[in-house]
Structure formats: structure tokens, C-alpha cells
Amino acid sequence: MKGGLGNIMKQAQAMQENMQKAQAELGNIEVTGEAGGGMVRLIMTCRHDVRKVNIDPELMTDPEDREVLEDLIAAAMNDAVRKVEKTTEEKMAEFTGGLNIPGFKMPF
């Protein structure tokens, strides 16, 4: 019986390590979102970090305004993602009774 429990603990530890590696890898994977037929594009990691926002010059005439708008969109996106993560954690804590499982993070 002792060997069975030991194997389960080893498997749980290996699974936790694999989840941590997967989360780290997701931070390097980028996807591109588009809107307006490609007139607005953004690059986001699978960890929800916005890396770049691009707005077609035809949408704006003043280049300085365009740069400010791009930065504001990226900042707002990142802010929203952080709020979603915090809200998700709070809601999950309600279901788990505050149980904190180290290394476990919801994939969304």
C-alpha cells in the first residue's frame, strides 16, 4: 500500500511539473487577432499578454494620435485580462472552499 501512495505522489508531482512547463511555453506562443477586415490587429501571447497593436493608417490621419491609441488599446486589454484572471480565481475559491492547489491554474 505504501508503494501505491508513493507512486501516486510521484505522478502528481510530475503532472505539476508538466503543467508548469506548459504554462511557461504558453507565455512564448503568440496569436494574432484581427478586426475590421484586418484594419486593427493585435498580437497576444497565450498567457493573455498583448504584445503589439496595429491600427491601419487609413483609420487615423495623425501618426501621434495613432501611436497613443495603440498603446492605450494594449494597456486596456492587459488590464481587462488581469481583472478576468482575478475574478476567475475568486470564483474558483468559492467552489473549492479556498483550497489552494500549488501550481494549478485554470487554463482560461
Side-chain angles (χ1 to χ4, degrees):
M1 183 132 174
K2 184 177 178 184
L5 182 57
N7 287 337
I8 291 172
M9 294 301 291
K10 286 180 183 179
Q11 288 175 349
Q13 184 177 3
M15 183 170 51
Q16 180 180 2
E17 290 171 2
N18 288 338
M19 287 178 62
Q20 289 172 343
K21 287 178 187 176
Q23 288 175 347
E25 289 175 16
L26 286 173
N28 294 320
I29 297 172
E30 294 180 344
V31 297
T32 301
E34 296 183 9
M39 295 189 83
V40 176
R41 296 176 189 212
L42 65 86
I43 297 173
M44 177 183 280
T45 70
C46 288
R47 298 272 303 147
H48 298 105
D49 290 321
V50 175
R51 296 262 170 96
K52 180 164 178 56
V53 175
N54 187 328
I55 298 173
D56 189 304
E58 291 181 25
L59 293 175
M60 300 188 65
T61 56
D62 186 352
E64 289 181 23
D65 288 344
R66 191 178 106 230
E67 288 179 39
V68 170
L69 179 59
E70 290 172 350
D71 291 342
L72 289 172
I73 291 170
M77 288 286 298
N78 288 329
D79 181 57
V81 167
R82 298 299 171 262
K83 289 177 180 176
V84 166
E85 290 175 347
K86 182 179 178 189
T87 301
T88 300
E89 288 176 8
E90 291 171 354
K91 291 294 182 189
M92 290 306 296
E94 291 176 17
F95 292 111
T96 62
L99 177 66
N100 185 13
I101 303 171
F104 182 74
K105 186 172 184 176
M106 294 302 289
F108 48 86

